[in-house]
């Protein structure tokens, strides 16, 4: 099993949850040769053994980059689990900055270059300052608890902890140090706008407009008979000849229209009936040949019956294809095309016969067109 084309082209996701581990599957090489659309970059991936199974940096987290002397804080917008890269969204170290969800500009960095923000802690004053300082603390080493499956949400859950931080916490001690739990980012709730005059209100949507007919109270009661299609057509033209039970549920009359003809059970039933008919037809040919051997052995008669059976199936297939060709209007189209070509040819011949040239200079009448001289 390998990654599909859709999973490769939409590998960058904004979902913080891990619902499956399909990102650990290999990517076919032919999918990496060309971009998905003209003008797009070619998709990239890493080796399956180098991919990260449990991601501790997800969309919505705040990180900084290793080696960044400015200490710029970015928000994670997307993660690409196939290439182990993180798409950073915006900068947050500016004063009086308000995040804007519409700003989707950012750049991609490797997962190993990101340091997760643990929180902001108060440190004692430094130098001549008497005011305490609030500094952001980042995790330089992460660990996690044992993951478990959350069936209600359909994803894996685990806890993430910061083992080492930069800078060290104010009350850090090697003897009393414990890992700091880092909460997962909270997803923003979707606000529902007020309905406009063009929207359907909730009470109209929840209004009950149809109540199905009650089912029989006992399995011993006979089920209502389903009327045939011909009876319904007759009732449309002559209602007095056919009478329907008005108390029967409408689903009984629309069973054929409401049922899916492409369901697995119905397709399997049609296939089984088709195979049973082929087998019964073969047995019929074999019985007919064995009844009249005419000096042949039973083996030769059976082989000839099988040959006739195959030819008969081929003729039936050709006849069915021709019937479908005729039913979809191809025969009528050819007839119309032939009539149209005949009309065009007749009009062209009529124009040539009725063609009269005006007298003009440099015109020569061919000798064959001259009338013979009379004596």
């Amino acid at each position: 099993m390998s990654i599909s084309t859709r999973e490769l082209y939409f590998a960058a996701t904004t979902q913080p949850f891990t619902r499956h581990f399909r990102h650990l599957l290999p990517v076919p090489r032919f999918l990496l040769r060309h971009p998905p659309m003209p003008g797009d970059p070619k998709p990239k991936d890493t080796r399956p053994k180098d991919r990260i199974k449990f991601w501790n940096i997800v969309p919505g987290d705040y990180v900084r980059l290793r080696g960044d002397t400015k200490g710029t804080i970015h928000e994670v917008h997307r993660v690409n689990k196939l290439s182990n890269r993180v798409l950073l969204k915006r900068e947050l170290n500016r004063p009086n900055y308000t995040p804007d969800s519409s700003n989707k500009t950012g750049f991609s960095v490797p997962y190993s270059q990101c340091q997760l923000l643990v929180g902001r802690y108060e440190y004692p004053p430094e130098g001549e300052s008497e005011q305490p300082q609030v500094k952001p603390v980042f995790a330089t080493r992460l660990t996690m608890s044992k993951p478990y499956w959350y069936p209600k949400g359909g994803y894996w859950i685990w806890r993430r902890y910061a083992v080492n931080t930069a800078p060290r916490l104010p009350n850090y001690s090697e003897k009393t140090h414990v890992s700091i739990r880092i909460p997962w980012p909270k997803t923003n709730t979707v606000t529902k706008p007020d309905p406009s005059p063009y929207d359907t209100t909730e009470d109209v949507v929840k209004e009950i407009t149809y109540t199905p007919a009650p089912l029989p109270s006992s399995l011993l009661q006979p089920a209502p008979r389903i009327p045939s299609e011909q009876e319904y057509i007759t009732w449309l033209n002559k209602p007095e000849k056919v009478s329907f039970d008005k108390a029967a549920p409408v689903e009984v009359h629309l069973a054929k229209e409401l049922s899916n003809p492409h369901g697995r059970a119905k397709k399997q039933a049609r296939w089984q009936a088709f195979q049973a008919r082929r087998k019964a037809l073969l047995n019929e040919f074999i019985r007919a040949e064995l009844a009249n051997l005419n000096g042949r052995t039973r083996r030769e008669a059976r082989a000839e019956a099988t040959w006739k059976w195959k030819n008969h199936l081929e003729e039936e297939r050709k006849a069915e294809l021709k019937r479908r060709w005729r039913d979809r209007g191809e025969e009528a189209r050819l007839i119309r095309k032939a009539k149209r070509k005949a009309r065009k040819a007749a009009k062209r011949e009529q124009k040539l016969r009725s063609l009269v040239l005006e007298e003009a200079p440099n015109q020569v009448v061919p000798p064959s067109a001259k009338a013979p001289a009379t004596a």
Side-chain angles (χ1 to χ4, degrees), residues 125-146:
E126 297 179 357
E128 299 179 356
S129 177
E130 297 180 357
Q131 298 294 333
Q133 297 182 356
V134 178
K135 297 181 180 180
V137 177
F138 299 90
T140 58
R141 182 183 175 188
L142 293 173
T143 185
M144 55 179 287
S145 63
K146 183 178 180 181

Side-chain angles (χ1 to χ4, degrees), residues 49-171:
K49 65 178 183 179
D50 294 335
R51 295 176 193 165
I52 303 169
K53 185 175 183 180
F54 298 100
W55 279 63
N56 289 316
I57 298 178
V58 296
D61 284 331
Y62 303 117
V63 298
R64 76 170 181 183
L65 303 181
R66 294 179 182 269
D68 186 7
T69 57
K70 297 181 181 180
T72 306
I73 301 177
H74 304 272
E75 182 180 357
V76 178
H77 177 46
R78 292 176 182 269
V79 293
N80 192 331
K81 298 183 180 181
L82 294 180
S83 59
N84 288 351
R85 299 190 70 86
V86 179
L87 180 63
L88 304 180
K89 186 175 182 181
R90 59 180 76 95
E91 184 179 329
L92 296 180
N93 63 342
R94 291 179 291 174
N96 301 327
Y97 180 82
T98 303
D100 183 11
S101 59
S102 62
N103 181 17
K104 299 186 182 300
T105 59
F107 55 97
S108 178
V109 295
Y111 178 90
S112 59
Q113 195 177 351
C114 299
Q115 289 184 343
L116 186 61
L117 177 66
V118 179
R120 297 179 183 271
Y121 293 84
E122 184 176 337
Y123 284 80
E126 297 179 357
E128 299 179 356
S129 177
E130 297 180 357
Q131 298 294 333
Q133 297 182 356
V134 178
K135 297 181 180 180
V137 177
F138 299 90
T140 58
R141 182 183 175 188
L142 293 173
T143 185
M144 55 179 287
S145 63
K146 183 178 180 181
Y148 64 93
W149 176 254
Y150 181 51
K152 186 176 180 179
Y155 50 84
W156 292 86
I157 293 181
W158 65 89
R159 298 183 181 90
R160 52 184 183 174
Y161 299 92
V163 180
N164 294 332
T165 61
R168 298 285 191 182
L169 296 179
N171 54 354

